[in-house]
């Protein structure tokens, strides 16, 4: 395979200490091309490669492909990174990143495919960025996990007709103590569900102008599978905002549960053209805020929009509609404020601000 390598940075591999690598030996190599990198993935013990510095693989053409029938585990030392720019890499097994310290993964006009993907960016500062790129798990899950401080940016990476962050299993993103993230003008797919978990002290995620596909789609006679959409937050301060977002084939439950004090949920121009088993949008911590504007949702049997004690709820639907087969409940906790009109709320039973 011919390599079109134009990156000025060289890849250096060195063995980790026994404590980091648990006794796994590595093949020594320097000045590696992308082809040599995937070959190191194939031939190194445990298919493990160590990067000790910021490392970029880059080619002249986006479709230039380097592949191995095996998976690969990339161990990032503190300060190291794994960057792909205008290149395609394919792995016949799982692709795993184990990071420590300040390190990250960047995909820029690049494609990375593997049977499953696990990005464990759990060092002090973990970073994940996608720009006009694709990350795909062809048979399993995509799991991205951040440590104490996390940063994520996904932009200009597909829409519903061609999602670029895709999992044939579950797509899950979990944040640590402090997290900032954005998903802009992009498409995400989780065949068995999409989940976000905010577990630390202060986290924020904004999704705007994007499509979230919660199904396998019907293709090649494969079974039709759908999964839930789930957002959980135990952190004292979590800000989760969706603006102009399509939830596609969201036939399972749609659940947003922010339980930390002073959490804020924004749900603006969120559209779901299919009926969901249950829709629950809540910020139940003290002083939690829920704001819903111009949504299009169908709940079977119910739609619940709630805040906790001393919190606030605001629902505005003009245009837009919220429909449920049995019940729509909109309320704030004791001492909180509730503002909602019944216009655009359609259900046999309406419990609005009472």
């Amino acid at each position: 395979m011919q390599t079109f390598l134009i990156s000025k940075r060289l890849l250096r591999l060195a063995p980790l200490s026994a404590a980091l690598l648990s006794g796994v030996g590595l093949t020594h190599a320097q000045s590696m091309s992308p082809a040599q990198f995937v070959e190191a993935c194939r031939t190194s013990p445990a298919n493990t490669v160590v990067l000790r510095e910021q490392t970029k693989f880059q080619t002249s053409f986006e479709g230039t492909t380097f592949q191995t029938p095996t998976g690969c585990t990339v161990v990032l030392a503190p300060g190291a990174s794994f960057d792909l720019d205008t290149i395609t890499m394919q792995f016949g097994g799982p692709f795993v990143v184990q990071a420590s310290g300040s390190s990250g993964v960047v995909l820029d006009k690049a494609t990375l495919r593997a049977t499953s993907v696990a990005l464990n960016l759990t060092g002090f500062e973990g970073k994940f960025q996608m720009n006009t790129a694709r990350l795909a798990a062809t048979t399993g899950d995509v799991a991205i996990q951040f440590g104490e401080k996390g940063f994520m940016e996904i932009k200009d990476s597909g829409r519903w007709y061609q999602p670029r962050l895709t999992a044939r299993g579950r797509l899950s993103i979990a944040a640590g103590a402090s997290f900032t993230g954005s998903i802009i003008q992009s498409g995400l797919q989780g065949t068995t569900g999409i989940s976000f978990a905010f577990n630390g002290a202060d986290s924020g995620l904004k999704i705007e102008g994007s499509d979230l596909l919660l199904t396998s789609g019907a293709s090649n006679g494969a079974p039709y599978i759908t999964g839930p959409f789930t957002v959980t937050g135990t952190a004292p301060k979590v800000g989760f905002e969706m603006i102009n977002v399509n939830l596609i084939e969201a036939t399972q439950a749609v659940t947003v549960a922010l339980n930390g004090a002073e959490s804020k949920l924004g749900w603006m121009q969120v559209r779901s053209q299919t009926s969901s088993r249950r829709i629950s949008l809540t910020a139940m911590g003290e002083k939690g805020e829920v704001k819903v504007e111009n949504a299009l949702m169908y709940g079977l049997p119910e739609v619940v929009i709630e805040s906790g004690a001393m919190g606030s709820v605001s629902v505005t639907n003009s245009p837009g509609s919220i429909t449920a087969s049995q019940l729509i409940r909109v309320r704030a906790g004791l001492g909180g404020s509730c503002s909602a009109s019944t216009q655009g709320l359609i259900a046999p039973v309406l419990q609005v601000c009472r």
Side-chain angles (χ1 to χ4, degrees):
M1 178 181 295
Q2 189 174 6
T3 302
F4 301 92
L5 183 64
I6 61 176
S7 174
K8 295 181 179 180
R9 188 179 300 278
L10 300 180
L11 172 64
R12 296 176 183 173
L13 298 179
L16 282 182
S17 66
L20 284 175
L21 197 57
S22 301
V24 177
L26 293 174
T27 302
H28 294 267
Q30 293 184 359
S31 305
M32 298 176 70
S33 68
Q36 291 170 326
F37 169 75
V38 297
E39 179 64 11
C41 288
R42 187 184 73 84
T43 59
S44 294
N47 305 116
T48 298
V49 175
V50 179
L51 303 183
R52 289 192 176 277
E53 62 182 23
Q54 294 182 0
T55 305
K56 178 184 285 188
F57 291 113
Q58 184 176 16
T59 68
S60 300
F61 304 102
E62 189 172 347
T64 306
T65 302
F66 303 89
Q67 58 188 344
T68 173
T70 68
C72 191
T73 296
V74 178
V75 179
L76 297 178
S81 68
F82 177 78
D83 299 0
L84 299 182
D85 188 343
T86 320
I87 192 173
T88 295
M89 285 193 176
Q90 296 186 170
F91 300 90
F95 181 81
V96 179
V97 171
Q98 299 284 1
S100 59
S102 300
S103 51
V105 174
V106 179
L107 307 180
D108 189 6
K109 298 181 290 293
T111 295
L112 192 154
R113 294 189 186 92
T115 57
S116 63
V117 177
L119 305 182
N120 301 311
L121 307 174
T122 52
F124 178 71
E125 290 184 320
K127 177 180 71 174
F128 174 65
Q129 291 177 282
M130 282 181 63
N131 177 28
T132 320
R134 182 174 188 184
L135 178 66
T138 57
T139 61
D141 299 339
V142 171
I144 305 173
Q145 185 172 359
F146 295 90
E148 186 169 348
K149 295 180 67 175
F151 174 78
M152 182 181 75
E153 180 183 67
I154 301 170
K155 62 181 181 179
D156 299 327
S157 295
R159 293 298 294 266
W160 71 268
Y161 51 88
Q162 193 179 28
R164 292 298 188 97
L165 179 53
T166 64
R168 296 299 293 181
R170 187 174 187 85
L171 170 60
S172 62
I173 297 173
S178 177
F179 173 80
T180 301
S182 63
I183 301 170
I184 308 296
Q185 297 293 327
S186 295
L188 280 62
Q189 178 183 19
T191 294
T192 60
I194 296 176
S195 67
F196 300 93
F198 304 102
N199 304 311
D202 192 352
S203 300
L205 176 64
K206 179 180 181 180
I207 305 176
E208 184 173 4
S210 297
D211 299 320
L212 308 182
L213 180 60
L214 295 145
T215 177
S216 60
S219 61
N220 301 324
Y224 182 75
I225 301 171
T226 63
F229 178 76
T230 307
V231 181
T232 58
T234 58
K237 286 188 177 182
V238 171
F240 181 76
E241 190 174 33
M242 300 232 294
I243 303 172
N244 188 23
V245 172
N246 292 311
L247 290 177
I248 302 172
E249 299 295 333
T251 60
Q252 305 299 316
V254 174
T255 305
V256 182
L258 307 181
N259 295 321
E262 300 184 51
S263 291
K264 296 182 180 181
L265 167 60
W267 194 268
M268 280 76 79
Q269 294 177 272
V270 177
R271 298 171 294 273
S272 177
Q273 301 291 340
T274 54
S275 299
S276 302
R277 287 189 177 176
R278 184 178 189 269
I279 298 173
S280 178
L281 309 176
T282 65
M284 299 303 291
E286 186 179 6
K287 299 181 182 180
E289 298 180 12
V290 181
K291 185 176 183 180
V292 178
E293 291 184 356
N294 304 334
L296 180 62
M297 300 185 295
Y298 303 86
L300 298 174
E302 62 184 12
V303 176
V304 174
I305 303 171
E306 290 187 88
S307 69
M310 305 299 293
S312 66
V313 169
S314 173
V315 178
T316 305
N317 264 1
S318 180
S321 66
I322 299 175
T323 304
S325 63
Q326 294 183 16
L327 168 70
I328 295 176
R329 182 169 68 245
V330 180
R331 70 181 180 186
L334 183 65
S337 65
C338 181
S339 172
S341 168
T342 57
Q343 181 179 358
L345 303 183
I346 305 168
V349 178
L350 296 179
Q351 296 177 356
V352 179
C353 293
R354 62 179 183 178

